Every structure is written in structure tokens, then in C-alpha cells.
């Protein structure tokens, strides 16, 4: 009976600790009387932990200036927090509020130690002295064991430790609804450590193995390539693996709010404190875009904070550690309005980061421009206005990430505009922010497949008639689950689209599609078409990367930049070094492995794609070394020859006369064709139209959602 009663009491306490962890929110740093401790790193860490800013406290020691003092700083912080931990012991006479505060204090102590240890295991700490890190990590493990021992003496179990670990893993499991690599990693760690003690060291050792055995960790550590995330959550774990960029858009901002409801509470508090809140509430329709901008940025603050140490540490090398923020897609055709949006976002970010940096960098002698946002602006190349927007943003030194972009002609045009903007900045002495040229290769591939299948069904219609072809489409729709959407479609073309589009789950030309097209193309022809289509996005990536960044062309662009933009050689090289090609919207692991390079390349990837890449690396026949500098590889001319049968591939793969003249002037040799589209044709290209419509719908829905979170008048 006594045992059952004791177990029941322990279960109740566990629930209280979990509830305390869930309710824990950091105190605002801008409260009166709160200032950074500039003359004692351990003191700065301790007060940040006490206020709930445990991750900021852990990141405070990620700068190489701490070398030589790292062990003493960790020991000092552990000593001071050990006192706080001990004093937060259970007190039967304390009020409910005091007991909850003590629980939270202990959870925060654990959280700081866990995050600091994970930083040491990850690549974000590669500038710290290895021997010092190793000894400091041992200090942390011993500290954690002693804290758990105290808890076991008091409660019979390490309740705060369990709550801290559970909160960390639960946060990882939120990412992409549990489908991401980060979420799957958390699930693997839970399974590996279930029932093992001491809790925190067992968790950390399992986490260390997950980090350092991961293929992304190896690719980043060996400089095979750089990586970024295409999602607004789970970034700290990815930072441990060497990721140094995050790309967002209205779709992803909405998903972040959906995955993490705490963001909604954060936005409500921030909006209530905004100086224009009363105006917003009085007439939300008139201010809807401003509210959406603010809500998107609220979802990005943690992104900026996570990569802040990386941004400072890589400022003089790769320029990484940045967050891509997408402008309102409804005004992508308006240059001045888009530029003003970008600069407004810059001002908001500077206000947040000025405060954050005062704690992150307290006690360091930093020569960098403090509070400069580690942000680049996503510019949609859906309209010729993108050229002026990208040029202006880069002239301000803000940096751009060109999106809604698929074709060689688009990408070459926009890289030239980004270069022009950076040149204007450099001539004024402004160091450019890292910038990106996205290649939405997966969306390009999907559009080509949808267009090819439409043409094949039209061919079938001419051959066997409309009724029989529609019967084939209906049979296909039954097989792939699109029947209701096909029935609702009015035109023949829309019925084909609904039965074959990627958005409805049709990922490839499978056996059902092959059966439906019998008579229009053979099984072998369709199988070959699918193999070729899967290479289409990579073909675009390899062509654009080769034009600008291959060894034989790199020096030619240095000379051209000097001539065309009145730059010195060092300035021209800086511009080339600041541009990163960004493969995105991938459909399969090979989309990553086919496009690796140590130069001018950063991959941005969804979490579920990351897990697929990881799982492929675990196969017995996998050899990572086979993909070193794979961007330089060639599929052979026959693939392009076959794909040239499809007009949209030709338009996407070739250049136009204007671009050929510029490349000739720069001395770039090659037959790049002349049938690529011009800026005036961008908006009518199939994949541009599809993505623009998707982004606009997502933005409008997110804008309505953000407005709905405002308090009522």
C-alpha cells in the first residue's frame, strides 16, 4: 500500500514538472534593471539562465575569443547555477507558485547544460579549442550527474532532468508534423534512452552519436557542401549538423504557427506592444499586409537568433548564418513597394537584434557592425520588377535570395542583377551580405512532367477520341485517388492536370499512368521520359553553376566585373565569393547528391527530404566519396537531346540573345541556345504561374490568420 502511494505521489510530481516545463516562458530582456554582465562571462550566463534565456546563455560562448578561458567560464557558470539548483530544493511549506518557480529554475539549469554540451558536439563550435571543449564537456557531464543525484535523494527520481529532456525532444518532434529528420532523430533518441539512467548523460551521448554519425555532419565537416533548411523550426539541431542558412516563405511561416502554437501567444503579446496596434485593431483590413509582415517576422526571430553566432563567426569567410525572408508575393510586380517592405523588415530586425546582441556579445571585443541583421530578402522572379528589387536590395548591403525561379535564363539574369547591386554597395565600402540564387529544380521537374503528360493525353485524344480518353483519365483518377477532383474539373485540360499533378500526389510516371497512355507512348518511352525528367532540375543547376563558378569561367567573371562595374580585383572576387547557388524543392535524395560542391553552393531542404537523404546514406552500397564535386558531373548529351522534345524544357534550359551577348563579352564559351525566355515572358512560364498562385493563396490565408489573432477592439 505504501509503495503504491509513493508511486502515485511520484507520478503526480512528474506531471507537475512537465506542466512547469510547458508553461515556462523567458522573461523579457528589455525590462528595467536588466543589463548584460560585460566583465564576467559566467555571470552573464547565470543571469540569462535565471531569466529563462538558456539557449542564448549556451550560445554566448561560441566565439573564438573565449579560447583560453572556456574551461574557467564553464566551471564558473556551473558553480553559480549549482547554487541556484540546490536552493531550488523542495519545500513543503512553500506556496504553489514558489514550488513551480523552483521546478522551472532546475529545468532551466538542465536546459543550459544540455544546450551547451550539444553546441560542443556540433559544428557551430568548430572555432573553439578542441582540448578545452573536451574538458569543458566533461565538466558538464559531471555537473549533470551531481544534479540528478541531488534530485534522486530528494524525490526518488530526477524529475527536472526528465522534464528538461522531454521538453527538448518534444520541441524537435513538432517539426513538420513529425515527418522531418529532426523529429525522427528525436524519436530515435527516445527509443535508445528509454529507461536508462542517469537521464541527461544518456540523452547527451545518444544525441552526440546522432549528430556526429549523420551524413550532413560529415558533408559539412569535410566541406563537401553547405546546407540550409527550408522550414522555420528545428534549426538548433540542424545547426549542430553544420547547417548555416534557413529559407522561409508564407507557406512555411503558416506551418510554423501551426506546428508550434506557442508562436501564436508570442505574436499576440508582441502585437499588443506594437505602437500601431490600436490602428491595426481599428481597421485591420487597411493594415492587413503590415500585420502579416509583423507576424512573419515574429516567426523568424528565433531563426535569426539561432544563426546569430554562425553569422558573426563566418562573416569573413562564407558569410553564412542568414535567414531568408520572403516579401509579399501580391506586390512582387511593384519594385518600390517591395523595396520598402524589405527595408521595413530590416528595421524591425535591427531593433530586435540590437537587444539580443548586447547579451550574446557581452564581454567580447567585436569589430563587426553590431545589430546588422543576418537576413536576406527573398525576391520572386515572377516579374521583370525582380531585377530592380534585387539590385536595390543588394546595393543596401542587405542581400537577396531569388525565388520562384526555375530556368537558366532567369537565373543568369538575376545573378547579373545581384552582382550589379553588390558592386554598387562595395564601391561605397559596404560589405555585401551573403546572397543566394535558388533553383527550384523539383518544381521545374514537376511542371515538365505535368506538361508532357497533358501533351500525351492530347495526342491520345486525337488517336482514340475524347470519350475513350476521358474514360482512361477516370480510371487513372480512381487508381491514384484524384477522382473527386477530376470530376469537379470542367475542361479536358484541367481533368488531365488534376489526375497527374504533383500537388495531388502524383510523384512520377508510374504503372497507372503508363496504362492510361497506352497507344500514345510505349512503356519503354514513358519509363525513359521519367528517368530524364528526374534529371531536369539538376541539368539547370549544373549549367548555371558551370557558367559562373567553374574554374575556367571564374577568372573571366573577375575580369568582367572589374571592367563592367569599375571594381578592383579583390572586390570582384569578394562578389563571386558572396554568391551561393541554392538547389531547392527537391523530390528525391539524388537531387542532393547530384549537386554537391564546396564552392558557391548551399542546399536548402525540407525536413522529410533530409531524412530520406540520411536513410540513403545508411545503405550498405552507399559511398559518399562518389559524390565529391558532383555538380561538375555530366549525364551525357543524350538526356538533353531527348528532353528537347518538350518545349518548356527548351525554354527552361537555353538562354536568350541578350544573355548570350553578355556571356560573350565576359568570354564565357559554350552553345547555350537562344530559345530561353526573356524577363517579359517569366510570368507566363508554367511553373512560375503555378508557384505564384500557390504562394499568393498561402500568403492571403496567412494574412487572414494573423489578423484573426489581434485582440478585438
Amino acid at each position: 500500500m505504501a509503495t503504491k502511494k509513493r508511486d502515485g505521489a511520484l507520478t503526480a510530481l512528474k506531471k507537475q514538472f512537465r506542466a512547469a516545463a510547458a508553461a515556462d516562458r523567458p522573461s523579457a530582456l528589455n525590462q528595467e534593471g536588466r543589463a548584460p554582465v560585460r566583465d564576467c562571462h559566467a555571470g552573464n550566463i547565470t543571469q540569462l539562465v535565471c531569466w529563462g534565456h538558456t539557449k542564448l546563455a549556451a550560445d554566448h560562448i561560441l566565439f573564438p575569443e573565449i579560447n583560453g578561458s572556456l574551461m574557467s567560464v564553464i566551471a564558473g557558470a556551473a558553480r553559480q547555477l549549482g547554487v541556484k539548483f540546490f536552493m531550488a530544493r523542495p519545500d513543503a511549506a512553500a506556496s504553489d507558485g514558489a514550488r513551480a518557480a523552483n521546478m522551472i529554475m532546475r529545468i532551466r539549469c538542465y536546459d543550459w547544460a544540455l544546450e551547451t554540451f550539444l553546441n560542443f558536439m556540433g559544428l557551430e563550435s568548430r572555432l573553439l579549442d578542441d582540448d578545452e571543449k573536451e574538458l569543458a564537456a566533461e565538466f558538464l557531464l559531471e555537473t549533470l550527474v551531481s544534479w540528478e543525484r541531488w534530485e534522486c535523494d530528494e524525490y526518488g527520481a530526477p524529475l527536472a532532468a526528465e522534464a528538461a529532456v522531454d521538453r527538448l525532444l518534444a520541441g524537435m518532434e513538432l517539426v513538420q508534423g513529425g515527418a522531418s529528420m529532426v523529429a525522427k532523430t528525436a524519436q530515435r533518441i527516445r527509443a535508445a534512452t528509454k529507461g536508462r539512467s542517469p537521464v541527461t548523460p544518456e540523452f547527451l551521448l545518444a544525441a552526440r552519436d546522432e549528430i556526429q554519425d549523420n551524413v550532413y555532419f560529415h558533408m559539412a565537416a569535410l566541406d563537401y557542401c553547405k546546407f540550409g533548411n527550408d522550414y522555420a523550426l528545428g534549426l538548433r539541431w540542424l545547426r549542430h549538423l553544420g547547417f548555416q542558412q534557413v529559407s522561409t516563405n508564407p507557406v512555411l511561416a503558416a506551418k510554423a504557427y501551426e506546428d508550434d502554437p506557442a508562436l501564436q501567444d508570442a505574436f499576440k503579446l508582441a502585437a499588443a506592444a506594437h505602437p500601431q496596434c490600436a490602428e491595426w485593431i481599428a481597421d485591420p483590413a487597411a493594415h492587413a499586409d503590415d500585420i502579416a509582415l509583423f507576424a512573419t517576422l515574429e516567426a523568424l526571430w528565433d531563426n535569426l537568433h539561432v544563426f546569430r553566432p554562425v553569422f558573426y563567426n563566418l562573416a569573413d569567410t562564407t558569410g553564412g548564418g542568414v535567414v531568408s525572408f520572403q516579401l509579399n508575393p501580391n506586390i512582387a510586380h511593384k519594385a518600390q513597394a517591395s523595396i520598402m517592405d524589405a527595408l521595413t523588415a530590416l528595421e524591425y530586425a535591427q531593433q530586435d537584434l540590437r537587444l539580443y546582441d548586447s547579451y550574446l556579445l557581452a564581454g567580447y571585443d567585436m569589430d563587426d557592425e553590431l545589430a546588422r541583421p543576418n537576413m536576406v530578402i527573398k525576391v520572386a522572379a515572377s516579374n521583370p520588377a525582380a531585377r530592380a528589387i534585387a539590385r536595390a536590395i543588394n546595393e543596401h548591403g542587405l542581400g537577396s535570395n531569388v525565388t520562384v525561379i526555375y530556368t537558366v535564363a532567369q537565373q543568369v539574369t538575376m545573378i547579373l542583377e545581384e552582382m550589379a547591386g553588390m558592386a554598387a554597395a562595395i564601391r561605397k565600402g559596404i560589405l555585401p551580405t551573403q546572397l543566394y540564387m535558388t533553383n527550384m529544380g523539383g518544381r521545374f521537374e514537376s511542371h515538365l512532367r505535368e506538361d508532357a503528360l497533358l501533351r500525351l493525353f492530347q495526342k491520345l485524344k486525337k488517336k482514340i477520341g475524347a470519350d475513350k480518353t476521358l474514360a482512361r483519365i477516370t480510371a487513372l483518377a480512381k487508381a491514384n485517388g484524384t477522382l473527386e477532383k477530376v470530376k469537379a474539373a470542367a475542361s479536358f485540360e484541367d481533368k488531365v492536370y488534376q489526375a497527374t499533378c504533383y500537388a495531388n500526389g502524383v510523384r512520377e510516371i508510374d504503372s497507372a499512368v503508363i496504362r492510361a497512355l497506352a497507344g500514345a507512348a510505349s512503356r519503354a518511352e514513358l519509363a525513359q521520359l521519367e528517368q530524364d525528367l528526374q534529371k531536369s532540375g539538376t541539368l539547370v543547376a549544373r549549367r548555371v553553376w558551370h557558367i559562373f563558378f567553374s574554374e575556367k569561367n571564374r577568372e573571366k567573371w573577375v575580369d568582367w566585373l572589374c571592367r563592367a562595374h569599375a571594381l578592383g580585383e579583390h572586390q570582384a572576387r569578394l562578389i563571386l565569393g558572396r554568391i551561393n547557388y541554392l538547389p531547392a524543392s527537391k523530390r528525391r535524395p539524388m537531387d542532393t547528391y547530384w549537386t554537391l560542391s564546396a564552392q558557391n553552393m548551399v542546399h536548402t531542404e525540407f525536413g522529410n527530404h533530409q531524412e530520406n537523404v540520411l536513410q540513403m546514406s545508411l545503405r550498405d552500397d552507399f559511398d559518399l566519396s562518389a559524390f565529391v564535386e558532383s555538380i561538375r558531373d555530366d549525364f551525357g548529351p543524350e538526356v538533353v537531346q531527348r528532353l528537347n522534345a518538350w518545349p518548356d524544357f527548351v525554354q527552361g534550359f537555353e538562354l536568350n540573345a541578350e544573355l548570350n551577348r553578355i556571356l560573350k563579352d565576359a568570354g564565357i564559351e559554350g552553345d547555350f541556345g537562344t530559345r530561353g525566355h526573356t524577363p517579359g515572358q517569366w510570368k507566363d512560364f508554367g511553373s512560375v504561374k503555378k508557384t505564384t498562385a500557390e504562394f499568393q493563396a498561402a500568403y492571403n490565408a496567412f494574412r487572414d490568420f494573423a489578423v484573426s489573432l489581434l485582440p478585438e477592439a
Side-chain angles (χ1 to χ4, degrees):
M1 189 71 176
T3 301
K4 183 180 290 188
K5 185 175 182 180
R6 186 169 59 250
D7 290 346
L10 187 60
T11 299
L13 277 171
K14 283 185 178 182
K15 290 181 179 178
Q16 290 176 31
F17 271 95
R18 297 289 173 91
D24 183 20
R25 297 289 183 273
S27 303
L29 290 174
N30 59 358
Q31 289 185 17
E32 186 176 351
R34 290 193 172 159
V37 177
R38 303 187 185 281
D39 57 357
C40 177
H41 291 298
N44 193 48
I45 289 169
T46 299
Q47 70 172 8
L48 285 169
V49 173
C50 291
W51 298 336
H53 294 273
T54 54
K55 296 174 178 60
L56 171 55
D59 289 354
H60 174 67
I61 55 170
L62 285 176
F63 302 96
E65 194 177 326
I66 204 76
N67 286 331
S69 306
L70 180 61
M71 291 180 294
S72 62
V73 170
I74 291 294
R79 185 196 67 78
Q80 294 181 44
L81 290 170
V83 172
K84 302 287 186 185
F85 190 98
F86 188 82
M87 293 178 67
R89 58 192 297 113
D91 181 357
S95 66
D96 290 345
R99 283 199 298 272
N102 284 342
M103 291 177 183
I104 288 173
M105 184 67 242
R106 287 192 165 184
I107 292 167
R108 288 175 175 178
C109 288
Y110 278 121
D111 196 51
W112 165 76
L114 296 175
E115 294 289 356
T116 302
F117 187 96
L118 292 174
N119 283 349
F120 288 163
M121 297 302 103
L123 289 173
E124 63 265 72
S125 64
R126 69 175 103 189
L127 297 183
L128 302 185
D129 181 83
D130 288 336
D131 291 336
E132 287 189 84
K133 273 197 300 183
E134 184 177 353
L135 189 54
E138 291 179 11
F139 290 171
L140 287 171
L141 286 175
E142 185 61 33
T143 297
L144 288 165
V145 169
S146 71
W147 289 352
E148 287 197 37
R149 191 180 302 121
W150 291 347
E151 283 205 272
C152 288
D153 289 343
E154 295 163 351
Y155 295 114
L159 302 182
E162 292 174 354
V165 169
D166 180 73
R167 180 170 69 173
L168 195 156
L169 291 173
M172 294 170 64
E173 289 166 338
L174 288 174
V175 183
Q176 211 175 354
S180 66
M181 181 180 69
V182 171
K184 300 289 187 184
T185 298
Q187 294 164 16
R188 289 190 288 269
I189 293 173
R190 280 196 191 276
T193 58
K194 185 176 181 181
R196 301 179 68 173
S197 63
V199 173
T200 49
E202 288 291 336
F203 160 76
L204 288 173
L205 295 177
R208 178 198 63 190
D209 292 344
E210 283 283 346
I211 291 169
Q212 297 183 354
D213 291 344
N214 190 293
V215 68
Y216 285 103
F217 181 94
H218 291 296
M219 287 192 286
L222 296 171
D223 201 23
Y224 278 23
C225 205
K226 296 184 286 292
F227 292 92
N229 197 47
D230 217 347
Y231 212 75
L233 298 176
L235 300 180
R236 288 189 71 84
W237 188 266
L238 295 172
R239 192 185 73 184
H240 301 327
L241 301 178
F243 281 59
Q244 54 177 262
Q245 186 263 357
V246 60
S247 185
T248 63
N249 58 44
V251 179
L252 299 180
K255 287 181 178 178
Y257 275 89
E258 181 181 326
D259 284 353
D260 187 2
L263 272 176
Q264 298 181 29
D265 297 332
F267 169 73
K268 290 175 182 178
L269 289 173
H274 193 280
Q276 291 180 287
C277 184
E279 296 176 40
W280 290 354
I281 294 171
D283 191 356
H287 300 283
D289 287 325
D290 295 333
I291 297 166
L293 172 66
F294 190 72
T296 304
L297 289 169
E298 190 62 36
L300 295 188
W301 294 146
D302 185 62
N303 294 198
L304 294 169
H305 298 165
V306 167
F307 284 115
R308 202 68 179 149
V310 178
F311 178 68
Y312 280 115
N313 285 338
L314 298 182
D316 296 326
T317 54
T318 68
V322 300
V323 177
S324 296
F325 164 71
Q326 184 158 341
L327 297 173
N328 177 354
N330 291 333
I331 59 171
H333 60 293
K334 298 180 179 180
Q336 291 305 312
S338 294
I339 294 166
M340 287 300 295
D341 254 12
L343 297 180
T344 299
L346 173 70
E347 288 295 321
Y348 277 136
Q350 284 182 165
Q351 293 170 21
D352 174 86
L353 292 170
R354 187 168 288 110
L355 176 65
Y356 190 83
D357 282 357
S358 68
Y359 291 90
L360 178 69
L361 304 175
Y364 291 107
D365 183 16
M366 303 290 276
D367 296 327
D368 303 76
E369 178 190 357
L370 303 184
R372 178 174 180 166
N374 50 321
M375 176 190 287
V376 297
I377 302 300
K378 293 186 80 171
V379 179
S382 54
N383 189 278
R387 303 178 71 174
I389 297 168
R391 186 184 287 237
I393 285 171
N394 281 286
E395 184 172 352
H396 285 288
L398 186 54
S400 58
N401 177 355
V402 181
T403 186
V404 192
I405 190 162
Y406 312 88
T407 71
V408 177
Q410 276 182 302
Q411 293 171 27
V412 171
T413 298
M414 292 305 296
I415 287 176
L416 292 170
E417 295 295 353
E418 289 182 317
M419 283 179 168
M422 283 194 291
I426 284 176
R427 289 196 301 269
K428 293 182 284 189
I430 299 172
L431 178 68
T433 299
Q434 181 68 58
L435 55 83
Y436 302 92
M437 173 51 56
T438 294
N439 173 41
M440 303 181 85
R443 288 176 179 264
F444 180 60
E445 171 197 320
S446 295
H447 165 67
L448 293 180
R449 183 179 293 105
E450 291 157 6
D451 182 67
L453 292 178
L454 173 59
R455 292 173 185 273
L456 288 168
F457 274 110
Q458 288 172 330
K459 177 181 177 181
L460 186 66
K461 181 181 175 182
K462 290 180 180 179
K463 189 171 184 179
I464 67 173
D467 291 343
K468 290 182 178 180
T469 303
L470 286 171
R472 296 270 195 97
I473 295 168
T474 300
L476 172 61
K478 288 179 180 178
N480 64 22
T482 61
L483 184 59
E484 293 306 313
K485 292 181 179 179
V486 169
K487 285 181 177 179
S491 67
F492 175 84
E493 289 76 14
D494 194 27
K495 287 181 182 295
V496 173
Y497 175 76
Q498 296 299 334
T500 61
C501 71
Y502 184 88
N504 288 345
V506 181
R507 302 299 192 243
E508 60 183 20
I509 299 174
D510 58 14
S511 57
V513 175
I514 291 172
R515 284 195 303 273
L517 285 170
S522 70
R523 177 177 293 273
E525 289 171 331
L526 290 169
Q528 184 64 67
L529 174 59
E530 178 59 33
Q531 291 179 29
D532 293 341
L533 288 171
Q534 291 184 11
K535 297 179 175 70
S536 58
T538 297
L539 285 167
V540 170
R542 287 178 174 176
R543 171 165 273 199
V544 176
W545 188 93
H546 174 82
I547 287 172
F548 286 100
F549 308 120
S550 60
E551 284 87 348
K552 73 173 187 177
N553 289 343
R554 195 176 199 85
E555 293 304 313
K556 296 175 182 178
W557 284 113
V558 170
D559 293 341
W560 182 84
L561 283 166
C562 292
R563 287 189 288 111
H565 294 289
L567 299 174
E569 181 182 337
H570 173 74
Q571 294 171 318
R573 292 189 186 281
L574 177 60
I575 285 176
L576 279 178
R578 276 293 191 248
I579 304 171
N580 267 325
Y581 199 70
L582 194 75
S585 69
K586 309 199 183 79
R587 301 309 193 217
R588 61 196 60 82
M590 289 307 297
D591 292 344
T592 292
Y593 290 124
W594 276 337
T595 51
L596 298 180
S597 179
Q599 288 189 326
N600 302 93
M601 183 71 73
V602 175
H603 283 256
T604 181
E605 304 188 329
F606 285 110
N608 58 340
H609 177 81
Q610 293 159 8
E611 179 66 10
N612 292 336
V613 169
L614 172 61
Q615 291 304 317
M616 182 174 174
S617 75
L618 299 177
R619 291 183 350 199
D620 290 340
D621 62 346
F622 180 81
D623 179 10
L624 180 59
S625 65
F627 300 104
V628 175
E629 293 298 321
S630 58
I631 191 68
R632 305 169 194 269
D633 293 343
D634 190 348
F635 292 129
E638 63 277 4
V639 178
V640 173
Q641 289 170 5
R642 288 191 295 265
L643 286 172
N644 276 339
W646 307 99
D648 278 16
F649 174 79
V650 174
Q651 195 173 32
F653 192 62
E654 295 191 2
L655 292 180
N656 56 50
E658 177 192 358
L659 293 174
N660 276 308
R661 284 194 295 271
I662 295 173
L663 264 58
K664 183 178 180 180
D665 182 53
I668 308 302
E669 299 173 355
D671 180 7
F672 303 110
T674 59
R675 294 173 291 178
H677 57 188
T678 62
Q681 297 170 319
W682 290 354
K683 62 183 176 61
D684 296 319
F685 191 67
S687 46
V688 172
K689 290 196 293 186
K690 292 169 186 175
T691 304
T692 298
E694 178 187 337
F695 280 6
Q696 286 177 334
Y699 172 82
N700 292 340
F702 178 69
R703 181 180 60 191
D704 293 344
F705 168 76
V707 169
S708 74
L709 294 178
L710 290 177
E712 295 182 2

